[in-house]
Amino acid sequence: MDVEQRLYALGQAARFDVCQATDRPADAPVRDELAGCIFRAVRRGGGCTPLLKVLQSSVCERDCAYCANRAGRDARRSTLTPEELARTFDDMARRRLVEGLFLSSGMCGQADQAMGRMLATVELLRRQYEFRGYIHLKILPGSDPVAIAQAVSLADRVSVNLEAPTPARLAALSQIKDYGGELWAALETAQALRRKRPTWVSMTTQFVVGAAGEEDRELLTTASRLYRQLGLARVYYSAFRPVPDTPLEGHPPAPLWRQNRLYQADMLLNAYGFAAGELVYDQGGMLAREEDPKQAWARAHPEFFPLELNRATRQDLLRVPGIGPTTAERLLAWRRQGTLTELAQVKKAGAVAGRAAPYILLAGRRPQHQLSLW
């Protein structure tokens, strides 16, 4: 195959690695000349950034039970040299087809060999082609601290995929990967190195949801620990989809509504000040399908409501359904200018007023037409 054909094949092979929080399928690259593996990454604040999302190589010696690129699976394999990939990316960037790179790889040879090829690609882009845009670089399991340091020095974002919330759950997916020694240790090493950088490098991880029988409580407890201890920017949740000719080909897919609920709960941990143990789970440790996690928490804590918006702290405001961080900041600012008395003011601040109304007081009064929940 020529370079363009291999690039397209490696873009298809990379589609299982999630890099945005959305319930839209992450496996729909746009076909447009060389852009067969362009991924439209949705930014948190809105809008899209076109990324070349690609593997350096789809040859892999690992045994992950869910993975289309796992060792022993009958699939066509492709590889690009650092020179080929860097040159092709530079051409795409100059033609404004892409604005950034998301680069991962199968584990072909030792970790440091596979990691070395990716690092060589990125170094060519930074040094020879003088690319100063966004690069997300995957840190492969078992990478040497020297390689991790180089990744942190070259990339804007680095990531290590834990895939599962605990060592026992990971063992159901792979007999080779070492949860503590390879994966968690790599995150700790990257975190220590990031603290020494003059410019901030963000870090993320990914869980495969529903492949190992894990509970939502397990996933969110580990996510909370990652945010607190290792300063991760995001945790991504990828709903499991069975792949033919893998050990889990007969395993049922995870529903997208579960992935969506996990993202909603994760936002409460990452931006709203909730702890994983505060969230409402059923007896099986799962989030409710019928109700978003914040609403479920509010219904479970009638003693907290109704909340007087004119006296509530920012932390308390974030407990109200329909009020997010931006709205909370506006309400706090507006309170310094006068008393909040009307639901219209809450709506103007950005709240989903109908959702917030049953849980609030405005100058000691329930909003007009509000129905009591208790």
Side-chain angles (χ1 to χ4, degrees):
M1 292 190 288
D2 62 21
V3 170
E4 291 185 19
Q5 290 174 321
R6 281 180 283 150
L7 184 77
Y8 181 77
L10 290 165
Q12 294 295 292
R15 69 189 187 275
F16 301 102
D17 213 328
V18 177
C19 61
Q20 69 180 32
T22 175
D23 57 4
R24 283 180 11 188
D27 56 353
V30 179
R31 299 206 69 157
D32 176 19
E33 296 177 328
L34 286 177
C37 45
I38 288 180
F39 181 80
R40 309 288 179 180
V42 179
R43 296 190 295 270
R44 180 176 257 178
C48 294
T49 299
L51 302 178
L52 174 59
K53 184 179 178 186
V54 68
L55 299 183
Q56 189 86 46
S57 175
S58 58
V59 179
C60 191
E61 299 173 2
R62 293 298 177 107
D63 67 339
C64 300
Y66 55 85
C67 185
N69 302 310
R70 74 186 306 270
R73 184 170 183 262
D74 185 14
R76 178 175 288 184
R77 311 290 174 155
S78 299
T79 299
L80 287 169
T81 67
E83 293 76 12
E84 289 172 328
L85 184 49
R87 183 173 61 250
T88 304
F89 175 84
D90 177 67
D91 176 68
M92 295 175 71
R94 290 180 185 280
R95 293 165 59 187
R96 298 186 178 180
L97 294 174
V98 294
E99 296 176 12
L101 173 67
F102 180 104
L103 181 59
S104 186
S105 183
M107 288 281 286
C108 178
Q110 297 298 315
D112 290 333
Q113 294 176 315
M115 194 74 203
R117 287 185 283 270
M118 291 199 298
L119 290 169
T121 298
V122 176
E123 190 151 21
L124 282 170
L125 288 175
R126 294 297 199 205
R127 313 287 189 235
Q128 180 174 323
Y129 293 102
E130 299 182 340
F131 177 70
R132 298 292 177 259
Y134 175 81
I135 293 179
H136 180 159
L137 186 58
K138 190 67 61 178
I139 295 174
L140 299 179
S143 293
D144 185 272
V146 174
I148 297 175
Q150 190 176 0
V152 170
S153 72
L154 290 169
D156 301 282
R157 169 166 285 183
V158 295
S159 57
V160 180
N161 284 357
L162 289 175
E163 310 295 20
T166 65
R169 296 299 187 184
L170 182 64
L173 302 178
S174 172
Q175 298 299 307
I176 297 176
K177 284 186 175 178
D178 180 349
Y179 192 90
E182 283 189 338
L183 304 179
W184 197 278
L187 287 169
E188 289 181 326
T189 299
Q191 169 64 351
L193 291 162
R194 291 191 311 141
R195 288 174 175 167
K196 300 176 182 179
R197 293 280 299 159
T199 55
W200 185 244
V201 178
S202 64
M203 184 164 65
T204 68
T205 193
Q206 173 184 277
F207 292 130
V208 178
V209 176
E214 75 291 332
E215 301 174 0
D216 291 342
R217 188 193 341 249
E218 292 177 276
L219 291 166
L220 293 166
T221 297
T222 300
S224 181
R225 183 184 171 197
L226 289 164
Y227 289 132
R228 290 194 322 270
Q229 296 183 6
L230 298 179
L232 263 68
R234 298 303 305 268
V235 173
Y236 294 108
Y237 303 87
S238 176
F240 168 75
R241 292 289 177 268
V243 175
D245 191 27
T246 64
L248 294 180
E249 64 179 345
H251 193 286
L256 285 179
W257 68 259
R258 183 184 177 194
Q259 176 181 287
N260 186 49
R261 288 286 181 246
L262 284 166
Y263 275 122
Q264 291 174 329
D266 184 272
M267 184 63 70
L268 298 183
L269 305 180
N270 196 13
Y272 287 71
F274 282 72
E278 293 183 88
L279 302 178
V280 178
Y281 307 95
D282 64 18
Q283 292 183 345
M286 307 300 282
L287 299 169
R289 176 177 183 173
E290 299 78 14
E291 192 171 38
D292 77 70
K294 192 177 183 184
Q295 185 83 31
W297 184 89
R299 284 185 175 275
H301 293 82
E303 75 285 354
F304 191 83
F305 302 103
L307 185 72
E308 173 57 67
L309 293 197
N310 288 285
R311 295 193 301 271
T313 65
R314 180 181 185 278
Q315 183 177 357
D316 287 346
L317 288 172
L318 291 176
R319 299 279 164 153
V320 178
I323 293 180
T326 301
T327 299
E329 295 293 344
R330 286 176 182 157
L331 291 172
L332 291 171
W334 293 359
R335 271 175 17 186
R336 291 191 286 270
Q337 302 172 15
T339 302
L340 301 171
T341 59
E342 301 293 335
L343 192 61
Q345 294 172 289
V346 181
K347 182 177 181 180
K348 187 177 180 180
V352 182
R355 183 175 293 181
Y359 299 97
I360 62 175
L361 294 175
L362 293 167
R365 300 170 58 185
R366 291 181 179 272
Q368 190 176 10
H369 305 306
Q370 176 176 312
L371 298 177
S372 175
L373 297 180
W374 307 286

